[in-house]
Amino acid sequence: MSIDEARLNEFLGRAVGDLGAAISATLMLVGDQLGYYRALAEQPLTPAELAQRTGTHERYAREWLGNQAAGGYVRYDTADQRYSLSPEQALCLADPGGPVDLPGAYCIVEAAFHALERTKENFRSGAGMEWGEHHPCLFHGTERFFRAGYNAHLLSEWLPALDGALDKLRQGGKVADVGCGHGASTTLMAKAFPNTAFIGYDYHPASIEIARRRAQEAGIDNAYFEVADATGYSGRNFDLIAFFDCLHDMGDPVGAARHAHAALKPDGHCLLVEPFAGDRVEDNLNPVGRVYYGASSQICVPVSLARHGPALGAQAGQARLQQVMSEGGFSRFRRATQTPFNLVLEARP
């Protein structure tokens, strides 16, 4: 066998970078949960100062800082030997209300390791794994990671991109948020449009309980939550039905589309926010596609297979999603807008 040394070194360089990221995944959670990122966002600190501020041990803090600085997640000033976060790093690591919540994404990675033995068995047998069977860190991480995207885009870009939906919400309409999870998207919309009634549906009872508590804590009185799956909720005459990052997980996505079509007003809107994907495998062989294929194989596909579904997967692509909505009875379909991580699609009856 002839080995190209340049190609070998290129591959090993990439692999070492990935190995460093993998071994640092739990340290991202340490930094988030022990308050390291928040402390560094306030001011530069030495390892001893960071440990004192967070009530942790200096020797561990010093090693953690070395890891984070080597990975480019923390800055190191050689002059005063202090560590800090740039404004950009702080936005992604220490601001739960910001446009990106990276530690939230690492809670999802944590859940994948909790499910490892089950994942291996699923690969052998073709069986599935229900959403509710995962470690609770998955539900927490999903709320955090996706909430950041909703904060950044939902009110300012996604809803305005729908043809005429915004006026209906301002005047006072009725909205269903299907697969709402902890209700981050539901409560965000309900707060922005107090004249409209919002109903969040999810088949996971524990998530609905948290959604209700979140809305109560926020003082929101126009958002309601019910335990129901995407083909079984009873509400009708909706102006808008939204599926945020969930249709591809479902056991019966065509049935969900058909149910939404029947529950919408004749001039209603169906909003699909799905992971960004092209229609061909080669379109998705990139860093974003890598993340989504990873989550899809361990979380999304098992959820659908657990319900004997088609397992669309997180990289279904617009053409496949359009086919699902068409089979569900929708006659109009378009890409309303997009982000580097999301396709934002509108279907009309």
Side-chain angles (χ1 to χ4, degrees):
M1 180 183 296
S2 176
I3 299 296
D4 186 315
E5 187 171 349
R7 290 183 179 179
L8 175 63
N9 290 336
E10 179 185 3
F11 170 72
L12 288 177
R14 185 181 303 114
V16 168
D18 289 345
L19 181 61
I23 198 65
S24 303
T26 49
L27 294 179
M28 293 283 292
L29 298 171
V30 167
D32 177 60
Q33 295 171 17
L34 296 185
Y36 282 178
Y37 292 126
R38 293 187 295 277
L40 291 168
E42 293 175 359
Q43 66 183 90
L45 298 168
T46 66
E49 291 167 342
L50 177 62
Q52 184 178 23
R53 280 177 173 264
T54 56
T56 57
H57 195 281
E58 184 273 340
R59 186 64 189 87
Y60 285 109
R62 190 192 333 159
E63 215 70 5
W64 181 87
L65 286 164
N67 165 271
Q68 295 289 292
Y73 284 73
V74 165
R75 298 190 302 185
Y76 177 61
D77 188 330
T78 57
D80 62 8
Q81 298 183 334
R82 281 183 164 83
Y83 298 82
S84 64
L85 294 181
S86 69
E88 295 76 18
Q89 290 167 331
L91 187 68
C92 298
L93 297 169
D95 183 1
V100 179
D101 189 340
L102 282 177
Y106 279 86
C107 292
I108 300 174
V109 173
E110 179 188 4
F113 278 95
H114 279 292
L116 178 58
E117 291 305 313
R118 183 69 174 273
T119 298
K120 289 190 293 185
E121 180 55 35
N122 287 344
F123 269 68
R124 295 187 183 103
S125 68
M129 183 174 181
E130 289 276 13
W131 179 260
E133 295 183 88
H134 279 278
H135 190 280
C137 65
L138 174 62
F139 320 137
H140 173 67
T142 299
E143 177 190 7
R144 285 186 56 177
F145 182 65
F146 288 109
R147 181 180 60 204
Y150 304 151
N151 287 340
H153 302 290
L154 177 54
L155 301 179
S156 61
E157 300 170 32
W158 297 349
L159 291 177
L162 304 183
D163 186 17
L166 211 56
D167 290 337
K168 298 173 185 176
L169 300 183
R170 289 170 178 154
Q171 293 166 9
K174 186 177 178 183
V175 175
D177 188 354
V178 181
C180 68
H182 288 182
S185 50
T186 324
T187 54
L188 181 63
M189 292 188 292
K191 187 174 182 179
F193 302 102
N195 295 326
T196 290
F198 292 83
I199 305 176
Y201 297 109
D202 202 286
Y203 84 124
H204 185 225
S207 289
I208 287 295
E209 286 302 314
I210 292 175
R212 289 170 176 161
R213 187 168 71 245
R214 294 274 197 273
Q216 184 178 22
E217 291 170 351
I220 294 171
D221 60 5
N222 61 321
Y224 315 91
F225 298 92
E226 297 180 12
V227 177
D229 66 21
T231 60
Y233 57 90
S234 60
R236 289 294 184 271
N237 295 316
F238 291 104
D239 295 284
L240 170 66
I241 296 179
F243 295 85
F244 291 102
D245 295 291
C246 64
L247 187 73
H248 66 272
D249 293 347
M250 293 180 177
D252 185 8
V254 171
R258 188 176 296 116
H259 195 79
H261 184 272
L264 271 177
K265 290 180 178 178
D267 65 341
H269 309 257
C270 187
L271 169 63
L272 301 181
V273 177
E274 283 285 305
F276 192 96
D279 294 321
R280 304 174 302 169
V281 170
E282 55 266 37
D283 297 331
N284 304 317
L285 302 183
N286 52 59
V288 173
R290 185 186 188 191
V291 170
Y292 282 139
Y293 277 127
S296 186
S297 58
Q298 299 172 85
I299 301 168
C300 309
V301 164
V303 168
S304 183
L305 290 180
R307 299 200 155 212
H308 310 290
L312 293 178
Q315 296 291 269
Q318 182 171 330
R320 184 69 182 92
L321 294 167
Q322 182 168 357
Q323 180 183 350
V324 167
M325 300 308 289
S326 177
E327 291 177 15
F330 288 89
S331 61
R332 290 173 286 170
F333 188 90
R334 70 184 182 97
R335 184 181 304 193
T337 187
Q338 65 187 56
T339 74
F341 292 99
N342 299 104
L343 293 175
V344 181
L345 307 165
E346 180 183 30
R348 304 291 301 274

